Amino acid sequence: MLGITDLSTYLVGLALIILLPGPNSLYVVSVAARRGPRVAYRAAAGVLCGDTVLMTLSAGGVASLLQTTPVLFTVVKFAGAGYLTWLAVGMLRGAWALWRGREARRAERGDGASEAPKEAVERPFRRALVVSLLNPKAILFFISFFVQFVDPAYAHPVLSFLTLGAWAQLFSFTYLSVLIFSGTFLAATFRRRRRLTAGLSAGAGAAFLGFAAKLSLASAS
């Protein structure tokens, strides 16, 4: 069908890959827990748009360019690692402030005006999009994974890539939706336990530092 070989195996592998934790999914959960599902879907839209761009670049040959141009790969790699580190520092600072009870004291004073600017500054869509795009390994992954299920004899391989990409986006959207409502449930459960919430935020920040370290050590091969 459309030059795709062994679709069932592709779907099983795709599901397993999407279920693996990564910076994008973790960021969406974080936004859902802090801001609710409406704002979290902005972050999810950023993830899906970023993945679409990466799939398009993969099909267009950028993956080969990254493999044959070490300097370009290194620049994108460290830019991505730096951005993840910056996000991690922000999460850790927020967790520390929450642990100290600053957010609780502001709420008790009725100072609700600070919440709107904070949301405006964060821009979940843009953050999730940048996290997606600054990951050269994702481009290499898409081309290496997709190509295994494209019939080389098929006359229109672009259609094959588009179909495989559509399945990937459908799986991603479904998974992110589950994460969003799970994050919202956790936020409602722990709303009054600010120290526990701070611990979860700190854990997310530490995970982002781990993602940054892993990306900085990645190679094009």
Side-chain angles (χ1 to χ4, degrees), residues 1 5 8 14 43 49 65-66 70 106 125-126 131-132 144 147 149 152 160-161 174-175 178 200:
M1 182 182 69
T5 62
S8 59
L14 183 64
C49 288
L65 179 63
L66 287 174
R106 289 173 184 169
F125 176 86
R126 189 176 70 177
V131 169
S132 294
S144 62
V147 75
F149 302 95
S160 304
F161 275 94
T174 303
Y175 177 56
V178 172
L200 294 175

Side-chain angles (χ1 to χ4, degrees), residues 135-161:
N135 185 1
K137 293 296 286 186
I139 300 179
L140 300 177
F141 161 75
F142 281 128
I143 191 65
S144 62
F145 184 63
F146 282 8
V147 75
Q148 299 177 52
F149 302 95
V150 175
D151 184 356
Y154 187 63
H156 306 287
V158 173
L159 292 179
S160 304
F161 275 94

Side-chain angles (χ1 to χ4, degrees), residues 44-170:
V47 173
L48 296 177
C49 288
D51 286 348
T52 298
V53 172
L54 294 182
M55 292 176 194
T56 303
L57 293 175
S58 299
V62 174
S64 298
L65 179 63
L66 287 174
Q67 286 181 314
T68 57
T69 312
V71 173
L72 178 60
F73 181 88
T74 301
V75 169
V76 177
K77 176 182 71 173
F78 282 111
Y83 189 72
L84 289 176
T85 301
W86 180 72
L87 290 179
V89 171
M91 290 180 178
L92 293 173
R93 290 179 60 186
W96 176 249
L98 192 59
W99 185 270
R100 296 288 298 274
R102 295 174 185 172
E103 297 295 331
R105 288 195 292 270
R106 289 173 184 169
E108 291 172 357
R109 291 198 303 267
D111 185 11
S114 62
E115 183 67 20
K118 184 179 179 182
E119 178 178 338
V121 170
E122 184 174 356
R123 297 185 179 92
F125 176 86
R126 189 176 70 177
R127 283 196 175 185
L129 179 64
V130 173
V131 169
S132 294
L133 296 179
L134 291 179
N135 185 1
K137 293 296 286 186
I139 300 179
L140 300 177
F141 161 75
F142 281 128
I143 191 65
S144 62
F145 184 63
F146 282 8
V147 75
Q148 299 177 52
F149 302 95
V150 175
D151 184 356
Y154 187 63
H156 306 287
V158 173
L159 292 179
S160 304
F161 275 94
L162 288 176
T163 304
L164 293 173
W167 276 109
Q169 295 292 59
L170 177 61

